Amino acid sequence: MNERKPVYITTPIYYVNDVPHIGHAYTTIAADVLARYWRLRGRDVFFLTGVDEHGQKVQQAAAKAGIDPQAHCDALAPQFQHLWRRLNISNDAFVRTTDRQHQVVVQRCLQQLYDRQLIYQADYSGWYCTFDERFWTEKDVADGLCPDCRRPVERLSEHNYFFKMGQYQQQLLRHILEQPDFIRPESRRNEVLGFLSSQKLGDLSISRPKARLSWGIELPFDRDYVTYVWFDALVNYLSALEYLPIDNPAGRQFWPATVHLVGKDILTTHAVYWSTMLMALDLPLPQMIFAHGWWTVDGEKMSKSRGNVVDPHKMVDEFGTDAFRYFLLREVPFGQDGDFSRFSMIARINSELAGGLGNLLSRSLTMIDRFAGGTIPSHDTSVDTPLEHNLTQRTAELLADADVHVEQLRFSRALEAIGEIVQLCDRYIEKTAPWALAKHPEQRPYLNNCLYHLAVTLGSLIRPLYPFMPWTTVNMAQQLGMEPQEHKGSLSWKDPFLRPGSKIQKAGPLFPRIEATTPLGGPPVSDVAATPRPTPPRPSTTTAPPSPASAAPCQITIEEFAKIQLRTATVLRAERVPKSEKLLKLHVDLGHEQRQIVAGIGKKYDPTDLVGKTLVIVANLKPATLMGIESQGMVLAAGDTDVQGLVTVLEPVTPGTKVK
Ligand code: MSP
């Protein structure tokens, strides 16, 4: 990426036919992470989001609500803005397609193309899908259904205006071939290339007769028509820069866009319609169009009719903004589809945020408080050992990796790299055992040095984590005594480094552990995230015809099995539970966290047999209390009432490795 060029990041503009859901939140959070990342790197950033207010969907939603479309848009647009505030989205502008400025720019583009004879009028007859607002050809709709949304199509014959899109086919193909980063990820690029090289690109109908659809921007050269909603919507990326980029300094500065983030379903409209429109307008194409995947919910397609639409507000209410932001970008590699479940969200928050990062900060600060009077000790290189060299060097490598990952939109890999640093620190603490060093006055210099290394490593996480979890990182920085200042979606410090001598300010946990109050899997996420509207009744399990699963109750599906998280755990300590013949209390290492597990294996094993052994545990079992001791998981063993042997793995593996 050009080192000085200002950065222009966009999300799609969202239809205001309904309230925002997790899909909208996903793209907008990803865009926010990028915007904050580039601001931290000192770039000028213009981050745009907004709403798509015209077209049939919105007109129908307004009619259903019994209000005029403008009143409907005026009621819905603030709901998106409100959600963006709650999700801490640092957008620089919010475009509404009913804005006067936007309408002027759309009309100017239309007129320009018309004047250049790139728009012509013709009769058109085809199969029309009202939901998708587009025509399909005879062979597309062989079964009478829209190939996209599977709704019935209707035959329409219309006099319409067409944009000569087809004539740009070869130019577009060449551009995609010459610019490997233009469409990302690679699989999506190949899809578009495949389609463009195997089919003839037709012209695009860019008008709708007002008699059929009145809610749109009027064609400047024919008042009986409004423009097609996509022609209107795509132009937002230019109109938000106030006027056409060539006419205006803001436009000249930011156009072409650095990246348009879109969902995979709207890649064609961006990669083909938008690109050819820009070619026709003699404007440069965006540097990148990145199509991300879709979320299903508890393994099912998310839809209003299924009643499983995830309301981001409910997620923020229950888990907090930063945990929600983190989960969305950590759970699924950006670009791929993913499944959202309340269960995996709780599991990740507990293991990586409460148990990983939060616990590391809290125990490190507690030790600095207890052993160093709450002041970050200084670095004494003379007592550094290979442990400190390794921690410093590996952290630097992982930070560099994380940086490149965000730049390349590999958000989950960036968070993984940061998580590895947390694990490094946890292991460092276990190896150096500061509490043991504190018992020996002659070890004081090394103890101080350990605390220094921990604090500095934690401090080095503020920058890379900030784009993902802005509020949490400011809090972390304050607890570490770093005094950051947040301004316009970026961070600055009087002194960006953690200095020895700073006073820490330990506060409450960054992420409280979430006690799952419901059985494995939890309720369907839609129960938690019920939309404010009444949801249609779910199919009743008592009246439904027996499914293969209900006919054979012992069988579970692969999705059900996938809910059980099995992990390897290394036994660090083991002891008998007083007054119990059977129970042992095990302290196990899961890599990024430690757990205490009470296991009924005391008749077969002595505690000393187990220390250092690798076991397999159920890591996401709801904690239970046995003889007054909390058990945070379950050890797998062979045998029924009597334990015959513990489950382990043949080769040595890192603690916390997934078992499947
Ligand atoms: N208005 C158009 C975009 C015009 S951009 C010039 C539109 N709006 S939308 O509200 O229907 O969808 C906006 C975005 O939400 C799309 O990128 C779409 O992929 C995304 N999502 C909708 N459902 C989704 C999921 N279940 N998961 C992830 N993203 C999803 O299309």
Side-chain angles (χ1 to χ4, degrees):
M1 199 173 285
N2 174 343
E3 268 316 307
R4 288 201 328 271
K5 191 188 173 305
V7 175
Y8 180 18
I9 299 162
T10 70
T11 73
I13 49 171
Y14 305 111
Y15 285 128
V16 290
N17 56 341
D18 211 341
V19 292
H21 57 61
I22 187 178
H24 307 127
Y26 185 45
T27 333
T28 315
I29 290 170
D32 188 60
V33 169
L34 275 183
R36 289 176 189 268
Y37 169 83
W38 284 112
R39 289 192 199 106
L40 270 186
R41 284 189 54 174
R43 295 289 191 89
D44 270 348
V45 171
F46 189 68
F47 166 20
L48 174 70
T49 186
V51 280
D52 192 351
E53 302 185 292
H54 289 127
Q56 205 138 351
K57 283 199 219 318
V58 176
Q59 182 171 295
Q60 279 169 349
K64 205 168 155 200
I67 50 177
D68 80 81
Q70 188 64 58
H72 172 84
C73 295
D74 291 346
L76 263 294
Q79 298 216 31
F80 283 82
Q81 288 169 300
H82 173 56
L83 178 63
W84 302 153
R85 279 195 297 277
R86 287 202 79 197
L87 291 177
N88 202 3
I89 302 300
S90 62
N91 55 307
D92 297 290
F94 183 86
V95 67
R96 293 184 56 179
T97 53
T98 53
D99 284 346
R100 171 99 194 106
Q101 169 191 302
H102 172 76
Q103 310 209 30
V104 167
V105 176
V106 171
Q107 289 189 327
R108 203 184 297 175
C109 291
L110 285 164
Q111 189 67 52
Q112 247 182 49
L113 299 186
Y114 187 72
D115 292 346
R116 294 190 200 168
Q117 281 147 33
L118 290 168
I119 288 178
Y120 64 94
Q121 206 180 13
D123 280 326
Y124 188 80
S125 169
W127 293 100
Y128 190 72
C129 169
T130 312
F131 182 81
D132 284 330
E133 299 183 48
R134 60 164 292 182
F135 283 100
W136 294 101
T137 61
E138 197 71 45
K139 71 171 177 359
D140 291 329
V141 293
D143 53 1
L145 300 177
C146 165
D148 222 23
C149 69
R150 312 298 301 155
R151 290 176 173 80
V153 287
E154 52 180 323
R155 187 84 196 160
L156 274 186
S157 292
E158 270 178 11
H159 209 53
N160 262 318
Y161 286 90
F162 290 82
F163 160 53
K164 291 186 181 169
M165 182 163 77
Q167 73 179 48
Y168 296 97
Q169 181 162 8
Q170 291 313 316
Q171 194 180 336
L172 178 59
L173 206 47
R174 260 199 317 279
H175 184 84
I176 301 174
L177 287 169
E178 282 164 10
Q179 305 289 330
D181 276 349
F182 176 54
I183 299 174
R184 297 254 326 263
E186 190 65 18
S187 54
R188 301 281 167 214
R189 174 174 185 258
N190 292 337
E191 273 172 30
V192 179
L193 277 175
F195 146 76
L196 278 177
S197 34
S198 63
Q199 290 172 37
K200 188 173 160 3
L201 185 63
D203 289 344
L204 181 68
S205 154
I206 52 97
S207 64
R208 299 290 178 261
K210 268 193 190 165
R212 185 154 66 78
L213 172 74
S214 58
W215 186 235
I217 299 176
E218 210 169 70
L219 296 188
F221 41 82
D222 190 336
R223 312 198 115 206
D224 290 336
Y225 291 84
V226 294
T227 194
Y228 170 43
V229 67
W230 272 100
F231 192 100
D232 168 352
L234 289 161
V235 173
N236 91 88
Y237 301 132
L238 296 178
S239 67
L241 300 175
E242 290 178 73
Y243 296 98
L244 279 186
I246 34 173
D247 301 340
N248 153 295
R252 273 201 299 275
Q253 186 191 2
F254 288 107
W255 193 261
T258 312
V259 56
H260 290 318
L261 294 183
V262 298
K264 62 179 182 180
D265 55 317
I266 57 172
L267 176 61
T268 311
T269 47
H270 282 77
V272 181
Y273 298 5
W274 181 224
S275 301
T276 52
M277 282 163 67
L278 287 166
M279 285 171 174
L281 289 164
D282 284 333
L283 287 170
L285 304 197
Q287 287 175 301
M288 182 189 289
I289 301 172
F290 192 106
H292 64 68
W294 267 45
W295 288 95
T296 49
V297 177
D298 292 316
E300 291 196 9
K301 190 168 186 282
M302 185 172 76
S303 75
K304 241 174 135 178
S305 55
R306 284 195 172 90
N308 65 353
V309 177
V310 180
D311 176 357
H313 284 292
K314 292 269 160 60
M315 294 293 112
V316 171
D317 290 343
E318 189 175 6
F319 303 110
T321 293
D322 281 356
F324 181 55
R325 289 172 64 111
Y326 175 88
F327 175 80
L328 289 184
L329 294 182
R330 173 68 186 87
E331 181 75 356
V332 179
F334 200 57
Q336 292 178 21
D337 292 336
D339 187 50
F340 186 89
S341 77
R342 177 188 150 77
F343 180 76
S344 27
M345 175 121 169
I346 294 178
R348 259 198 206 281
I349 295 175
N350 279 351
S351 71
E352 291 168 21
L353 295 182
L357 180 69
N359 186 38
L360 174 66
L361 180 77
S362 156
R363 66 204 287 226
S364 305
L365 294 182
T366 301
M367 291 191 290
I368 293 171
D369 244 345
R370 198 172 299 158
F371 307 136
T375 302
I376 312 261
S378 25
H379 188 192
D380 181 353
T381 46
S382 69
V383 293
D384 273 350
T385 71
L387 279 182
E388 287 71 39
H389 292 304
N390 180 49
L391 177 67
T392 313
Q393 194 190 329
R394 203 51 208 124
T395 301
E397 286 164 5
L398 287 163
L399 288 175
D401 289 350
D403 202 50
V404 177
H405 287 319
V406 181
E407 188 175 330
Q408 298 292 319
L409 289 83
R410 294 189 294 257
F411 303 116
S412 60
R413 304 244 335 246
L415 288 171
E416 218 175 304
I418 296 169
E420 239 186 89
I421 300 177
V422 171
Q423 291 176 28
L424 280 179
C425 289
D426 280 339
R427 282 201 290 275
Y428 178 74
I429 294 176
E430 289 319 311
K431 284 192 185 136
T432 52
W435 51 90
L437 297 173
K439 292 188 186 137
H440 305 284
E442 73 283 7
Q443 297 277 23
R444 167 80 30 200
Y446 186 56
L447 169 61
N448 281 342
N449 209 34
C450 290
L451 299 177
Y452 163 84
H453 279 287
L454 276 176
V456 162
T457 311
L458 270 164
S460 72
L461 301 185
I462 305 292
R463 244 182 120 85
L465 273 179
Y466 170 76
F468 295 93
M469 299 192 288
W471 284 324
T472 301
T473 39
V474 170
N475 176 351
M476 266 179 85
Q478 281 162 348
Q479 295 203 40
L480 286 162
M482 285 170 80
E483 299 179 28
Q485 263 143 35
E486 212 195 355
H487 183 59
K488 291 195 173 158
S490 191
L491 268 191
S492 58
W493 291 266
K494 260 193 261 136
D495 182 352
F497 301 103
L498 190 61
R499 295 282 178 208
S502 317
K503 270 274 176 212
I504 60 157
Q505 298 173 38
K506 190 169 185 314
L510 289 181
F511 298 94
R513 205 182 151 78
I514 298 162
E515 294 309 330
T517 48
T518 40
L520 190 66
V525 75
S526 49
D527 284 358
V528 180
T531 52
R533 304 164 297 281
T535 48
R538 279 160 211 280
S540 146
T541 44
T542 49
T543 53
S547 63
S550 60
C554 299
Q555 292 184 342
I556 59 168
T557 62
I558 190 78
E559 288 77 21
E560 282 164 331
F561 176 70
K563 289 181 179 169
I564 303 172
Q565 273 189 20
L566 300 176
R567 296 206 179 263
T568 62
T570 306
V571 181
L572 299 171
R573 295 191 295 280
E575 60 191 88
R576 290 202 172 273
V577 170
K579 297 195 201 126
S580 168
E581 200 191 352
K582 214 172 147 191
L583 296 181
L584 296 188
K585 184 166 98 177
L586 311 178
H587 197 73
V588 298
D589 182 11
L590 277 169
H592 50 73
E593 62 171 323
Q594 293 186 6
R595 300 255 188 110
Q596 160 182 301
I597 295 182
V598 181
I601 52 175
K603 279 194 184 164
K604 168 92 179 158
Y605 295 98
D606 198 60
T608 50
D609 300 337
L610 299 173
V611 176
K613 294 277 185 306
T614 295
L615 308 180
V616 176
I617 68 156
V618 181
N620 57 356
L621 196 67
K622 184 184 164 196
T625 305
L626 299 167
M627 307 267 298
I629 305 172
E630 188 183 69
S631 181
Q632 301 155 339
M634 187 177 88
V635 163
L636 291 190
D640 196 358
T641 38
D642 287 333
V643 172
Q644 293 170 29
L646 282 168
V647 175
T648 182
V649 282
L650 281 180
E651 274 76 27
V653 292
T654 321
T657 303
K658 201 169 168 179
V659 177
K660 44 183 195 169

